[in-house]
Amino acid sequence: MRSFNGNGVYFLLFLVAFSACKSSIKEQSDKVYSRHLQRHVDLTIISTRMPEEKSDMNLLLFNSGNELEQMNAKEIIDSLNRKKLIQPLVFVAIHGNEKEDYGMSNLAGSKNKGNKADKFNEFVMDELYPLIKKKTVVRKFNSIAICGNSLAGISAFDIAWQNADKIDKVGVFSGDFDYAGKQDVNSDQPNAVLQEISSSRKRPKLAYWFYAAENADSSILNNTKELIDIIDKKNNGSKTDIQFITDKTGNNDIHSWRHHFAEFLLWAYGK
């Protein structure tokens, strides 16, 4: 676990400061109809130059597409790419329905939130992923990651956990693990999300990146720690790539997520 007092974050912000240089990336908007969700889903696609070997291209799925501009994702990716700090990347921001789409697929329908989480999982892997490969003409990406903020972070974790045969890395910014509550309010068992992960027979080979503020919502910090313990126990003590970033001066909000986004990108795709 790493803790920040601010200096490391300010250094990264310096690296990704806005520049007058011509953009090194391309951005386009798209829309795809999902038969699983029974609606159109808006996408924002940001990509660096295609490498000579297409198999060197990487893919990042960003669940929190509705917060794309607030995250300054385009500017951060552009700056890191111009400085040659990240590998070739296709970044696909998914503009989902926060109330319906984001959550654990096995808990879909149990609460008002995330009642289509299972359908969203199927949309991402069965419809969106093949479409991205077709449009980029990349048969196999070098590495695939998915990330998200808050409840979209829980969804990102769930999709990676269920599809570790295709996804390599997952990033969770201030995961909203309490969204489904406890299965039994009078029990000492963990909340429904952690209980679902703990009881799962899956032991996926994933690399994990977590962020939680130290001095904000203690439940987010404590639940993230508990999840990391669950993952460690499932891996029977074998070494797992888990980065846990805690920030003493940050919060569990868009401002802090934006501050740590460059660091996540360098962890996932740094050269």
Side-chain angles (χ1 to χ4, degrees):
M1 180 175 74
R2 285 191 290 161
S3 179
F4 274 78
N5 59 14
N7 293 335
V9 174
Y10 294 143
F11 173 71
L12 287 174
L13 288 177
F14 172 77
L15 286 179
V16 299
F18 294 166
S19 170
C21 297
K22 184 178 179 180
S23 176
S24 66
I25 60 176
K26 292 182 179 180
E27 178 182 358
Q28 65 181 27
S29 297
D30 205 343
K31 182 178 292 189
V32 57
Y33 180 79
S34 168
R35 57 183 175 83
H36 290 296
L37 296 172
Q38 294 292 297
R39 71 168 193 271
H40 283 91
V41 180
D42 290 324
L43 308 171
T44 303
I45 303 169
I46 299 170
S47 58
T48 65
R49 187 189 298 260
M50 180 66 71
E52 292 185 8
E53 294 291 336
K54 291 184 178 180
S55 59
D56 289 335
M57 182 62 86
N58 299 276
L59 172 64
L60 174 58
L61 302 172
F62 181 58
N63 263 4
S64 302
N66 298 331
E67 297 170 337
L68 183 65
E69 291 187 7
Q70 293 172 284
M71 288 287 287
N72 287 346
K74 179 182 178 181
E75 292 82 2
I76 292 172
I77 294 171
D78 182 28
S79 182
L80 292 176
N81 184 56
R82 282 190 286 101
K83 292 175 172 60
K84 299 181 179 181
L85 294 175
I86 56 173
Q87 302 171 45
L89 179 65
V90 175
F91 172 92
V92 180
I94 308 166
H95 300 260
N97 183 318
E98 181 176 0
K99 183 177 181 180
E100 293 186 342
D101 296 343
Y102 300 146
M104 299 289 291
S105 53
N106 287 343
L107 299 177
S110 61
K111 291 286 181 178
N112 289 332
K113 291 182 179 179
N115 61 316
K116 290 185 178 180
D118 53 343
K119 302 301 182 183
F120 184 74
N121 190 321
E122 293 172 341
F123 158 68
V124 171
M125 300 312 303
D126 297 343
E127 298 177 315
L128 180 59
Y129 176 55
L131 177 66
I132 295 169
K133 290 202 298 181
K134 181 179 180 180
K135 288 202 169 189
T136 57
V137 198
V138 176
R139 292 183 60 188
K140 182 176 176 58
F141 288 98
N142 178 53
S143 177
I144 300 175
I146 185 169
C147 69
N149 306 331
S150 189
L151 191 55
I154 300 300
S155 173
F157 183 91
D158 176 63
I159 293 171
W161 187 266
Q162 301 290 345
N163 301 279
D165 58 324
K166 296 182 179 70
I167 297 177
D168 307 292
K169 304 172 183 178
V170 57
V172 182
F173 292 75
S174 304
D176 185 7
F177 296 95
D178 283 336
Y179 89 93
K182 288 188 175 183
Q183 292 178 327
D184 182 352
V185 295
N186 298 316
S187 171
D188 291 330
Q189 291 182 341
N191 63 42
V193 174
L194 296 180
Q195 184 65 25
E196 173 65 28
I197 297 168
S198 179
S199 61
S200 171
R201 294 184 178 181
K202 293 180 179 292
R203 291 177 173 79
K205 294 182 179 179
L206 289 165
Y208 306 86
W209 193 96
F210 298 99
Y211 164 82
E214 285 193 32
N215 297 322
D217 186 343
S218 60
S219 67
I220 291 177
L221 180 66
N222 293 335
N223 285 330
T224 302
K225 289 179 178 179
E226 188 167 348
L227 174 58
I228 291 173
D229 288 340
I230 291 171
I231 294 171
D232 281 335
K233 289 177 181 177
K234 282 183 172 291
N235 289 321
N236 296 322
S238 61
K239 187 175 181 181
T240 305
D241 184 358
I242 301 177
Q243 295 291 318
F244 183 21
I245 309 303
T246 62
D247 192 337
K248 294 180 179 178
T249 60
N251 292 294
N252 295 309
D253 59 14
I254 193 72
H255 177 76
S256 297
W257 301 333
R258 180 173 63 240
H259 274 52
H260 288 278
F261 189 58
E263 182 186 8
F264 166 75
L265 289 171
L266 290 172
W267 168 80
Y269 301 112
K271 290 185 176 180

